[in-house]
Amino acid sequence: MLVEKTQELVTNRLFKDIAVGEKSDLTEILTRDNADLLGGWQPDGVGVEAASVTQSVASVWIGILIMRLVSTRFPGVGSVVRSYALTLEGGLAVGDRVVVTCQVVAKHDEEALLDLSFVCVRQDGGEVARGTMQIVAPEAPQSVVMACSSFEHIVTHRRFRALCERAAQLPMLPIAVAYPCDDLSLRSACDSAQRNLGQPILVGPKALIESVAKESGLSIDGLEIVEAEDPHTASAQAVALVRSGRARLLMKGAVHTDVLLHEVVTRPTGLCADRRLSHVFVMDVPFYDRLLMISDAVVNIAPDLRAKHDIVQNVIDFAHVMGLVEPRVAVLSAVETVNPAIQSTLDAAALSKMAERGQITGGIVDGPLAFDNAVNLNAAKIKHIESPVAGRADIVIVPTLEAGNMLAKELSFLAGADAAGVVLGAKVPVILTSRADSEQARLTSCAIALIMAHGAA
């Protein structure tokens, strides 16, 4: 299949402008074409390893990604490799989405040398490879126009990067981070500070947080730590910081989502507002021409019509803050016709009528719609659906948490999408991140929460 080519202006980074600890990442999917070109996948196998690739193919492909990241983006054009080492830690198969993260671990002023470390992680969180590299950083600023396929361009998640850039221009706000006591959650907090997306207040056992920081090579100098002995206490303390006004955002650390949200909804000490809590995934999906919002795939298990009313209004209000004047909302079911035997079609029809009569405001709501005719104009035309929403939905409302969770994960793991997410309906945005999230997805969750907080101020 021929893929349209796009162009991108890429500017390098100079040695003097790069700080120790700074990171960059690249996301790519191992396609069948990639594996065929390198000569090492096994299409005739049986079971989960049917499309696995050989170690030699995996190491070459990962090496290509690392070299592309270094030579085009970080530091970029003019970088010269002095040494390189890579160790494979896990297997790869056709269809795997890999995030390659590069971090500066040391600088040597004499020769403008940078020591870099790399870690490569699959979509399921499994580590694929680790490596090191020493490079000579570029000496002079240089920009080049690079051609890439539209798929490659989209999969780097330019929409997410644009949201982060937008949020970084806003004044930072304090984030209460509940129990950041593992590498991922503490790294997420530190990254948000480094990217001007928030001022973390770390809530948890100080000794453990400091130990995790040391083991992970993270600097927490200058970050406030509020002592709390366990995840439950840390969640309650983090919520209390928000209620007191010391924090303006709430972020999940190494604590179960239900533990944190229990403290959020507990009256009178929680953060409940007038509406039911709900969650939105903001998806950056390759080949879809806009961000796609999915609600609710995290909080409400089997919402009734009253709960779905709040879910729809929450996400419409959220979309306004994100910049959509009149978002298009598709209420999903298995079919696009009302069927009394399928409750979700009845709920969808009722929600559409509620929007017509002003009980839901600010967006165009239509349903029931099946997912294909919600996001694909051709599918809608084939089924003769006339709707201002069909084929161009900004928001999809799922019938149950199970359906939404499956949809979001299918888009992430099979379609190369990235997903950021926040909880809506509380007095402040609540940032939820997953262990399988890429660095870009975690940063974007912080970015949209910051944009929300300023939009509601």
Side-chain angles (χ1 to χ4, degrees):
M1 181 180 68
L2 292 177
V3 181
E4 179 186 357
K5 296 287 184 178
T6 61
Q7 292 185 327
E8 182 180 14
L9 181 67
V10 180
T11 303
N12 63 4
R13 301 282 306 282
L14 303 186
F15 179 85
K16 65 182 179 63
D17 299 324
I18 297 173
V20 172
E22 191 170 350
K23 295 192 297 184
S24 183
D25 67 64
L26 176 70
T27 303
E28 185 61 280
I29 294 173
L30 177 57
T31 66
R32 184 171 299 186
D33 288 343
N34 296 150
D36 282 342
L37 184 63
L38 298 173
W41 76 293
Q42 302 149 5
D44 296 325
V46 177
V48 296
E49 297 300 319
S52 62
V53 299
T54 63
Q55 283 196 327
S56 61
V57 168
S59 63
V60 170
W61 185 70
I62 290 169
I64 290 170
L65 298 188
I66 290 172
M67 294 301 179
R68 194 172 78 196
L69 176 59
V70 169
S71 63
T72 65
R73 298 190 181 280
F74 186 77
V77 181
S79 301
V80 178
V81 177
R82 280 282 187 87
S83 63
Y84 168 63
L86 185 72
T87 303
L88 292 180
E89 304 286 346
L92 276 178
V94 171
D96 277 343
R97 177 169 60 94
V98 172
V99 180
V100 179
T101 303
C102 161
Q103 184 170 20
V104 180
V105 295
K107 295 179 67 174
H108 307 282
D109 295 335
E110 308 80 35
E111 299 180 75
L113 291 177
L114 297 175
D115 291 342
L116 307 177
S117 67
F118 295 89
V119 62
C120 309
V121 179
R122 287 191 309 267
Q123 69 278 355
D124 60 1
E127 188 171 298
V128 178
R130 282 185 174 272
T132 60
M133 182 181 289
Q134 187 174 75
I135 66 168
V136 181
E139 296 179 350
Q142 188 175 354
S143 297
V144 294
V145 176
M146 296 187 60
C148 61
S149 70
S150 59
F151 177 75
E152 179 185 40
H153 187 55
I154 291 171
V155 95
T156 56
H157 303 302
R158 67 185 186 278
R159 300 186 189 103
F160 270 15
R161 293 201 308 273
L163 283 173
C164 288
E165 289 166 4
R166 173 184 167 189
Q169 304 305 311
L170 299 170
M172 287 199 298
L173 297 175
I175 307 174
V177 187
Y179 207 74
C181 295
D182 64 2
D183 175 87
L184 181 64
S185 58
L186 186 57
R187 188 175 300 278
S188 297
C190 293
D191 286 348
S192 68
Q194 188 178 48
R195 301 296 183 90
N196 295 320
L197 298 175
Q199 299 166 324
I201 302 173
L202 310 177
V203 187
K206 183 176 180 180
L208 180 55
I209 292 172
E210 290 175 341
S211 174
V212 170
K214 183 177 180 180
E215 290 176 5
S216 302
L218 299 170
S219 173
I220 57 174
D221 293 344
L223 299 184
E224 181 181 357
I225 299 177
V226 174
E227 184 69 33
E229 61 184 9
D230 56 52
H232 292 268
T233 306
S235 297
Q237 289 272 63
V239 168
L241 287 173
V242 174
R243 284 183 59 86
S244 70
R246 285 186 60 196
R248 292 281 302 280
L249 303 169
L250 180 63
M251 185 175 183
K252 173 180 172 289
V255 58
H256 288 298
T257 298
D258 57 350
V259 172
L260 180 62
L261 293 186
H262 172 76
E263 299 299 333
V264 172
V265 301
T266 298
R267 297 180 185 274
T269 58
L271 301 172
C272 281
D274 296 332
R275 288 197 210 116
R276 175 184 292 263
L277 295 186
S278 60
H279 181 273
V280 60
F281 275 123
V282 180
M283 309 288 297
D284 194 349
V285 187
F287 293 122
Y288 197 53
D289 65 354
R290 67 197 73 202
L291 289 170
L292 182 67
M293 304 173 201
I294 299 175
S295 193
D296 178 356
V298 173
V299 175
N300 294 281
I301 297 173
D304 59 15
L305 182 59
R306 184 185 296 275
K308 287 180 179 178
H309 167 277
D310 285 0
I311 290 169
V312 173
Q313 193 64 67
N314 280 347
V315 74
I316 288 175
D317 292 348
F318 168 80
H320 290 167
V321 176
M322 291 296 104
L324 293 176
V325 176
E326 194 173 41
R328 296 181 174 94
V329 184
V331 188
L332 298 186
S333 185
V335 295
E336 60 279 346
T337 55
V338 177
N339 183 338
I342 305 177
Q343 182 61 43
S344 59
T345 67
L346 301 177
D347 290 349
L351 291 166
S352 299
K353 181 58 69 174
M354 293 168 80
E356 283 182 19
R357 296 190 173 182
Q359 292 173 267
I360 296 172
T361 60
I364 305 171
V365 182
D366 194 19
L369 290 170
F371 184 70
D372 58 346
N373 46 60
V375 299
N376 187 285
L377 278 170
N378 286 333
K381 288 177 181 177
I382 289 169
K383 295 188 178 181
H384 306 290
I385 298 172
E386 295 185 6
S387 163
V389 173
R392 53 178 73 87
D394 301 298
I395 298 165
V396 293
I397 303 298
V398 294
T400 66
L401 180 147
E402 292 169 311
N405 191 275
M406 292 175 195
L407 175 58
K409 288 181 177 175
E410 285 160 3
L411 290 173
S412 293
F413 293 106
L414 294 179
D418 246 351
V422 290
V423 173
L424 312 174
K427 293 178 180 177
V428 302
V430 181
I431 304 163
L432 300 182
T433 56
S434 166
R435 287 170 293 179
D437 287 345
S438 69
E439 178 192 15
Q440 184 65 69
R442 295 194 300 272
L443 288 171
T444 305
S445 294
C446 295
I448 61 179
L450 183 61
I451 293 169
M452 281 179 64
H454 280 286

